[in-house]
Amino acid sequence: PRATAYFEQRRFFASTLDKPQQVFATRSGSESDMSYSLPVRDDDRISFKLAARDANHIRHIVPLGSLLLLTSSAEWLVTSVNNDALTPTSISVRPQSYIGASKVQPVVVNNTVIYGAARGGHVREMAYSFQSSGFVSGDLSLRSTHLFDDSDIVDMAYSKAPVPIIWLVSSNGKLLGVTYIPEQQIGAWHQHDTIGGTFE
């Protein structure tokens, strides 16, 4: 599988080579048990396929208060129909936006997901909005587009202290950083160069 994560005492896998839109989860409290019962029980393994209009693979699984699936053309929210724990019979999957995520591993800052856009080389933030009753995605690099246009993000990391900074390596060889404090609505971009070296 291309993506894996832990959520509600289950280990989730997604996007195998022959099933790029399929999600699998182990039995509750297990690392690898994919067994199930007949009739189905709540602690059985979970398996479902994204019913998406585009045939693209799941690139990332992000566990927050709910489970987010980032694909190459959309962002999906996985919840329980009855607001209880996820079970094989209570899965609800809804699209949140149609932007798409790049292959670069996203980072989580507090309750906000930072990820590279699938196209255009920009960086996006996604957080829950009570006004929209769902997750909303915004372009984090909009104020400094000159740092991102005509290039792509090839790697990303988050430094929590002493100053919260998200570091990004650009395909043009430069290191970009954003001092990011979402609860204070602070996002300040800075660029770093090296003479004759590379960033990893």
Side-chain angles (χ1 to χ4, degrees):
R2 289 184 178 97
T4 183
Y6 290 92
F7 184 70
E8 291 187 351
Q9 299 299 307
R10 296 178 187 264
R11 189 174 183 189
F12 280 78
F13 303 92
S15 189
T16 59
L17 291 177
D18 59 339
K19 295 181 179 179
Q21 292 181 294
Q22 192 82 16
V23 178
F24 309 90
T26 63
R27 291 184 67 123
S28 183
S30 169
E31 288 264 339
S32 58
D33 187 352
M34 301 296 274
S35 62
Y36 62 95
S37 311
L38 290 175
V40 176
R41 299 189 326 189
D42 286 348
D43 65 342
D44 282 348
R45 66 104 166 104
I46 295 173
S47 178
F48 64 91
K49 181 180 178 181
L50 285 183
R53 63 181 184 181
D54 298 324
N56 50 64
H57 60 267
I58 299 167
R59 288 185 165 163
H60 308 287
I61 304 173
V62 183
L64 292 174
S66 299
L67 198 65
L68 289 174
L69 304 177
L70 306 182
T71 74
S72 51
S73 68
E75 293 76 28
W76 298 78
L77 177 65
V78 179
T79 58
S80 174
V81 174
N82 51 16
N83 293 326
D84 291 334
L86 290 179
T87 68
T89 58
S90 70
I91 296 289
S92 171
V93 184
R94 293 177 308 211
Q96 300 300 291
S97 63
Y98 290 95
I99 306 296
S102 71
K103 294 179 181 178
V104 176
Q105 185 68 31
V107 298
V108 177
V109 181
N110 298 346
N111 58 352
T112 304
V113 181
I114 309 299
Y115 65 99
R119 289 160 289 281
H122 283 213
V123 178
R124 303 193 65 88
E125 59 183 342
M126 186 174 220
Y128 187 82
S129 169
F130 288 101
Q131 292 84 1
S132 302
S133 297
F135 282 79
V136 176
S137 179
D139 192 341
L140 187 59
S141 49
L142 197 59
R143 293 186 185 130
S144 301
T145 56
H146 63 285
L147 299 176
F148 300 91
D149 292 342
D150 303 319
S151 62
D152 290 311
I153 299 302
V154 296
D155 205 356
M156 188 183 314
Y158 177 50
S159 172
K160 293 183 180 180
V163 179
I165 299 175
I166 302 168
W167 297 104
L168 307 104
V169 180
S170 177
S171 60
N172 62 15
K174 303 205 172 167
L175 178 67
L176 307 176
V178 57
T179 305
Y180 186 69
I181 309 173
E183 64 271 17
Q184 300 295 328
Q185 298 180 344
I186 293 174
W189 286 100
H190 34 96
Q191 176 179 288
H192 306 266
D193 301 315
T194 179
I195 299 174
T198 58
F199 292 105
E200 180 179 354

